[in-house]
Amino acid sequence: MTDTEMLESGNMKIDWVLNHMPVLNIIREQFAKEKPLAGHKVAMALHVEAKTAALVETLAIGGAEVAITGCNPLSTQDDVSMALHNKDNIQCFAKYDCCNEEYYEAIDKVLDFKPDITIDDGADLIFKLHTERTDLLPEILGGCEETTTGIHRLKAMERDGALKMPVIAVNDAMTKFLFDNRYGTGQSSWDGIMRTTNLLVAGKNVVIGGYGWCGKGAAMRAKGLGANVIVTEVDPIRALEARMDGNSVMPMKEAAKIADMVLTTTGNRDILKREDFEVIKDGAILANAGHFNVEINLEDLKAMAGSVRTVRNNIKEYKIGEKRVYVLADGRLVNLAAGDGHPAEVMDMSFANQALCVRYIAENKLSNGVHAVPQELDVGVAEMKLMSMGISIDKLSDEQEAYMAGWETGT
Ligand SMILES: NC(=O)c1ccc[n+]([C@@H]2O[C@H](COP(=O)([O-])OP(=O)(O)OC[C@H]3O[C@@H](n4cnc5c(N)ncnc54)[C@H](O)[C@@H]3O)[C@@H](O)[C@H]2O)c1
Ligand SMILES: N[C@@H](CCSC[C@H]1O[C@@H](n2cnc3c(=O)[nH]cnc32)[C@H](O)[C@@H]1O)C(=O)O
């Protein structure tokens, strides 16, 4: 593609998703009128694709200057990156398939811009700010974190007294994780796996590693596609929930023997490792929708494999003796590295929360530590989403409110 074609393609992708992000559009209109972010500099490390671009534009419309890079070496869409870089008050440094060095150089470039607000997906910017770029911390009003694992890391920093800035845990908003992690990952992971492999899911043994919000969504959609779903867990309550939702539950070492496809969604490392590869079924297809590229231990797989070759775009074959094991998108998030990420309607709510939380940080002085998304913002996003869907709901009467709040009546 020529540069002009790239630009056009990126802008068309952004226009398409914007037509399906009604809540973000309401916020854009408010931001255009009120300019709540005037004078602020927002640094971002998120998946650079069209829905993220819609968020970036919204912040710029609100008056902010924005610098952005990727949060995963394989999730950037270069046409969208170029389209963003060509917009007023926006700089974009993200590049698809960058090496480790380029990835962290781009994080530095975003920080060179001396932001006062950050948005992370996996805490990359905040980690740098607390290690090599501590000189920038005094200017930081606060940050937002998009994902579960990022929040685990930030809470660990807070526990150790190491977190020196306020952060809003956007992932933990109800209108984020209940929809994005569950329905978003549920749909987009299978979209990524199916378009990459061109294979049938029906009738296959599908193993889902982890039964958290992402795992629940992925298992639910695999079942809907006709798979026999097997869940692995380490948490007894979630394992029980998985069983009562109709899935089989067993340790990975057992599940690997019968798996046609494995999808990891834990946020933890080594969900698939040497002992599982030793027993894994010939032809098994492995994908990750959890965190970075640590859930499938590729070092173990490489060490065991006699040969490795690319057999189709985004599919590597590892040959262990006569056995073949296929890894999608190098074990990175299959929905973003081998797909277009979550559906626009879902990211509409996640990114509405981000935009409102950036505004909240700009307008309120927060203490250092991890903060919840204010409940009124979270409920407000749900109300706007329902309104955009043409759905109205009932209201509590005064009598009902009194009945629910009191203890004198009711037996
Ligand atoms: N692909 C995406 O677009 C996407 C979207 C949202 C979240 N995420 C990421 O996915 C991961 C999961 O997020 P979540 O919100 O579902 O988290 P969660 O905490 O709700 O669920 C994780 C589950 O994995 C289980 N687990 C941990 N170690 C395990 C092990 N060794 N074996 C089996 N199960 C194990 C936990 O018990 C838990 O039930 C995180 O890294 C998050 O950042 C990815
Ligand atoms: N950056 C790490 C952490 C996991 S990303 C998981 C996050 O990606 C977000 N996400 C999923 N799909 C999209 C998308 O299409 N655009 C932007 N963000 C997305 C989602 O909100 C989720 O919390 C990594 O790449 O491995």
Side-chain angles (χ1 to χ4, degrees):
M1 268 203 266
T2 63
D3 280 3
T4 317
E5 285 165 344
M6 291 261 289
L7 258 183
E8 197 189 343
S9 160
N11 281 319
M12 276 167 58
K13 285 183 179 176
I14 301 170
D15 287 348
W16 171 259
V17 297
L18 260 174
N19 284 328
H20 301 275
M21 301 180 85
V23 183
L24 200 64
N25 275 307
I26 296 172
I27 295 169
R28 278 162 85 97
E29 279 172 28
Q30 287 166 355
F31 277 21
K33 271 194 224 124
E34 298 162 19
K35 299 282 176 199
L37 306 180
H40 292 283
K41 286 183 171 186
V42 182
M44 303 172 65
L46 288 189
H47 302 289
V48 174
E49 56 69 59
K51 284 90 65 186
T52 302
L55 169 65
V56 174
E57 275 188 355
T58 305
L59 301 176
I61 288 170
E65 280 181 65
V66 187
I68 178 167
T69 184
C71 65
N72 180 313
L74 294 185
S75 66
T76 297
Q77 300 194 9
D78 284 335
D79 50 353
V80 175
S81 182
M82 185 188 270
L84 266 181
H85 198 65
N86 270 272
K87 292 185 192 292
D88 288 345
N89 297 322
I90 297 171
Q91 294 178 55
C92 183
F93 302 104
K95 212 176 103 201
Y96 173 72
D97 203 13
C98 56
C99 65
N100 236 17
E101 210 183 344
E102 288 172 312
Y103 181 81
Y104 288 106
E105 262 172 31
I107 300 243
D108 265 323
K109 281 189 194 153
V110 163
L111 291 177
D112 287 344
F113 165 81
K114 298 199 167 65
D116 59 355
I117 299 175
T118 62
I119 307 182
D120 262 308
D121 179 331
D124 280 342
L125 291 174
I126 292 187
F127 188 70
K128 265 258 171 163
L129 280 171
H130 285 72
T131 50
E132 293 158 35
R133 307 294 302 266
T134 50
D135 55 306
L136 299 173
L137 273 172
E139 297 308 314
I140 304 279
L141 300 175
C144 294
E145 172 53 51
E146 171 76 6
T147 202
T148 316
T149 296
I151 288 163
H152 287 167
R153 298 279 177 276
L154 294 165
K155 286 195 171 155
M157 285 174 80
E158 187 180 35
R159 271 198 307 277
D160 290 351
L163 184 61
K164 306 290 182 206
M165 60 183 273
V167 188
I168 301 188
V170 170
N171 177 76
D172 294 355
M174 298 276 210
T175 47
K176 200 282 184 181
F177 72 87
L178 284 178
F179 303 93
D180 173 316
N181 301 28
R182 182 168 42 171
Y183 302 116
T185 312
Q187 178 168 320
S188 63
S189 300
W190 287 108
D191 170 22
I193 293 169
M194 291 191 296
R195 71 163 87 168
T196 303
T197 61
N198 194 213
L199 295 177
L200 189 68
V201 180
K204 295 227 163 50
N205 285 337
V206 165
V207 176
I208 305 292
Y211 205 65
W213 292 107
C214 293
K216 285 182 173 70
M220 174 172 57
R221 294 302 180 233
K223 192 174 175 187
L225 287 162
N228 173 39
V229 183
I230 300 155
V231 168
T232 73
E233 252 298 345
V234 289
D235 177 331
I237 295 171
R238 289 204 153 156
L240 201 55
E241 212 184 347
R243 181 69 192 113
M244 300 234 176
D245 283 345
N247 308 290
S248 302
V249 177
M250 61 185 79
M252 184 58 90
K253 212 174 157 188
E254 296 306 310
K257 291 179 194 161
I258 52 171
D260 296 304
M261 294 177 170
V262 184
L263 177 63
T264 56
T265 66
T266 68
N268 208 345
R269 56 179 294 178
D270 303 332
I271 303 311
L272 283 162
K273 52 190 171 303
R274 180 176 277 275
E275 65 185 56
D276 308 308
F277 301 138
E278 277 165 2
V279 296
I280 205 159
K281 188 174 161 182
D282 177 34
I285 291 169
L286 315 181
N288 169 42
H291 188 70
F292 278 111
N293 56 350
V294 296
E295 303 215 10
I296 304 169
N297 190 323
L298 293 179
E299 293 308 313
D300 280 357
L301 200 49
K302 274 181 213 151
M304 293 168 77
S307 66
V308 183
R309 61 181 183 131
T310 299
V311 291
R312 192 178 149 94
N313 187 28
N314 270 326
I315 308 185
K316 280 214 177 92
E317 178 192 79
Y318 292 78
K319 203 117 186 260
I320 307 175
E322 283 310 300
K323 195 160 74 178
R324 295 150 309 160
V325 177
Y326 298 103
V327 177
L328 307 191
D330 284 333
R332 292 198 182 269
L333 302 191
V334 70
N335 58 325
L336 282 142
D340 284 311
H342 287 359
E345 298 93 328
V346 165
M347 293 316 292
D348 186 27
M349 289 194 278
S350 306
F351 286 163
N353 276 294
Q354 287 286 5
L356 294 174
C357 286
V358 169
R359 179 176 194 159
Y360 190 80
I361 291 170
E363 293 177 347
N364 294 276
K365 171 123 190 65
L366 301 178
S367 56
N368 291 350
V370 180
H371 296 256
V373 173
Q375 211 200 352
E376 67 275 14
L377 299 188
D378 198 357
V379 174
V381 170
E383 285 171 346
M384 287 190 273
K385 191 71 179 176
L386 282 170
M387 189 183 70
S388 76
M389 295 165 85
I391 297 173
S392 52
I393 59 172
D394 290 328
K395 255 200 165 84
L396 288 176
S397 66
D398 292 346
E399 292 76 12
Q400 284 174 325
E401 261 191 67
Y403 182 81
M404 296 299 281
W407 56 270
E408 297 90 343
T409 53
T411 51

